[in-house]
Amino acid sequence: MDTNHLDKQNFFDLGNLDSLRQSALKSDASSDASKEALKKAAAQFESIFTQMLLKSMRKANEAFEDKDSPFNSSGVKFFEEMHDQQLSVELSSNGSLGLADLIVQQLSPDGKEFMPGSVLRSVDDFTSDKRANGTIQDTETTTVESTKASENTSKQSNNFDDVESFITTVWEHAKTAAEKIGLNPAVMVAQAALETGWGKHIINKADGSSSNNLFNIKSDRSWQGDKASKVTLEFEQGMPVKKQASFRAYESIKDSVNDFVDFLNENPRYQEALENTAKPAAFLDSLQKAGYATDPNYADKIKQVLNRTELKTLAATLVRQGVN
């Protein structure tokens, strides 16, 4: 970000603020002058934020100061504060924190990549992906998640203690189902892992029992079985939006895996994906292209899970053992 306008700015020069206000008033929202005024305002805010940060750091260090030292007199502290204030301007002029760039991106009239906080993903949305791709361990849970888990443990029909138990259980059914379409069962396991956070976040029905829905297939008018409802994250025009959705519910994990294969076979839009089952990467790309999920990074996330060491190692062991 260009911050040359701060190169010779002094923290105590209030004329700079008035100049900034005048620049904003004289320009319309779409003009270059307005954009430049926005950059200046963002940089000014960053300098104020930096000054507050430095002040907090000084405050936290007071507990270790020698009260009798001449360097801790009120006069010294006054000049220290002046130094920190001017330093904050210098740091902002160099774009050290990058906060000004984020503010410009958020407030720019023609900003196309701005994501409002009201539609950001919740803790549950993020941790499901993180557990699946290994960013955090399964044992790491938030207080809210722990509370929910303790309330529903007695009602859920499937409790996966760890990644290994999830892979082993799902593989048992995925192997047979995957053979119907010529797909590596590891791909189905990886997709189910992403969708459910290795089985830790399978959607529950209204009575608290598990829906056994490993692939988060939604229920439409054609679905005659049980259903489960949940707030989900959908991407519309590249932006995440929370919506209440209805999902299919099954009697068992086996039913879920079999229905996933039937679901692909019964929908013409997945024809290209079915033609690429021999190539996992192409299959996943085609699945996303066909609209299986609205997340623009859906296929890449599954590929990351597929490349996890524990999945590769255990899958190889299961293949050697001929688990079916």
Side-chain angles (χ1 to χ4, degrees):
M1 177 177 176
D2 183 11
T3 52
N4 291 332
H5 55 278
L6 291 178
D7 284 350
K8 298 180 180 180
Q9 182 176 331
N10 187 287
F11 184 88
F12 303 96
D13 185 3
L14 298 182
N16 283 291
L17 293 177
D18 184 64
S19 174
L20 177 60
R21 183 180 67 85
Q22 294 294 337
S23 297
L25 292 175
K26 292 179 180 179
S27 57
D28 55 270
S30 60
S31 68
D32 291 337
S34 177
K35 294 177 182 178
E36 185 62 25
L38 175 58
K39 291 181 180 179
K40 292 180 180 179
Q44 188 75 34
F45 179 84
E46 181 176 317
S47 68
I48 295 173
F49 175 82
T50 305
Q51 192 270 331
M52 294 172 63
L53 180 63
L54 293 173
K55 185 176 181 179
S56 297
M57 294 171 64
R58 294 278 191 189
K59 188 71 175 178
N61 197 49
E62 287 183 357
F64 304 98
E65 294 178 349
D66 181 1
K67 301 299 181 181
D68 298 325
S69 172
F71 294 103
N72 289 326
S73 65
S74 59
V76 171
K77 290 187 178 296
F78 173 75
F79 285 105
E80 276 185 349
E81 184 175 354
M82 291 180 62
H83 170 268
D84 290 346
Q85 289 170 337
Q86 186 59 37
L87 179 61
S88 67
V89 175
E90 297 299 325
L91 291 174
S92 178
S93 68
N94 295 325
S96 299
L97 297 183
L99 181 60
D101 291 328
L102 294 177
I103 295 175
V104 170
Q105 180 183 357
Q106 179 177 356
L107 300 181
S108 179
D110 57 354
K112 297 181 179 179
E113 299 181 358
F114 161 58
M115 183 179 297
S118 61
V119 298
L120 286 177
R121 303 178 70 179
S122 65
V123 172
D124 287 342
D125 295 321
F126 278 120
T127 52
S128 178
D129 285 354
K130 289 180 178 180
R131 287 192 180 90
N133 62 33
T135 305
I136 61 176
Q137 299 298 318
D138 294 330
T139 54
E140 297 182 26
T141 57
T142 63
T143 302
V144 175
E145 290 175 323
S146 299
T147 302
K148 290 181 179 178
S150 61
E151 291 175 349
N152 295 325
T153 297
S154 61
K155 297 181 180 180
Q156 292 181 352
S157 58
N158 291 295
N159 293 305
F160 300 100
D161 297 327
D162 49 36
V163 171
E164 182 176 347
S165 64
F166 177 83
I167 295 174
T168 303
T169 300
V170 178
W171 185 281
E172 177 184 356
H173 306 294
K175 184 176 184 298
T176 302
E179 286 179 350
K180 299 177 182 178
I181 56 176
L183 181 66
N184 184 339
V187 178
M188 294 181 65
V189 173
Q191 185 174 355
L194 177 68
E195 291 283 359
T196 66
W198 298 105
K200 298 292 184 180
H201 300 283
I202 298 177
I203 299 171
N204 285 342
K205 294 188 290 186
D207 62 359
S209 62
S210 175
S211 67
N212 293 311
N213 192 335
L214 296 184
F215 301 94
N216 286 337
I217 299 177
K218 294 180 180 177
S219 60
D220 53 20
R221 295 180 180 178
S222 64
W223 178 251
Q224 301 300 315
D226 290 341
K227 301 177 182 179
S229 181
K230 179 187 177 181
V231 175
T232 183
L233 194 75
E234 304 291 346
F235 284 79
E236 297 181 352
Q237 297 181 343
M239 301 295 292
V241 180
K242 288 185 176 181
K243 289 186 175 183
Q244 187 77 25
S246 179
F247 296 84
R248 299 183 181 187
Y250 308 96
E251 291 294 326
S252 65
I253 293 296
K254 180 180 179 180
D255 291 339
S256 174
V257 173
N258 288 332
D259 187 59
F260 172 71
V261 173
D262 293 339
F263 178 74
L264 298 182
N265 282 322
E266 294 170 0
N267 287 273
R269 62 176 176 168
Y270 298 119
Q271 183 60 40
E272 181 180 341
L274 293 173
E275 293 174 354
N276 288 312
T277 53
K279 302 176 182 178
F283 168 78
L284 294 172
D285 289 337
S286 299
L287 206 62
Q288 178 176 319
K289 180 181 177 182
Y292 186 91
T294 57
D295 184 346
N297 299 312
Y298 186 72
D300 290 335
K301 289 178 180 179
I302 299 177
K303 293 174 187 176
Q304 291 175 9
V305 178
L306 193 58
N307 287 322
R308 284 191 60 174
T309 303
E310 54 264 63
L311 177 54
K312 286 184 174 181
T313 302
L314 189 52
T317 301
L318 293 171
V319 169
R320 286 196 303 268
Q321 295 175 348
V323 175
N324 52 53

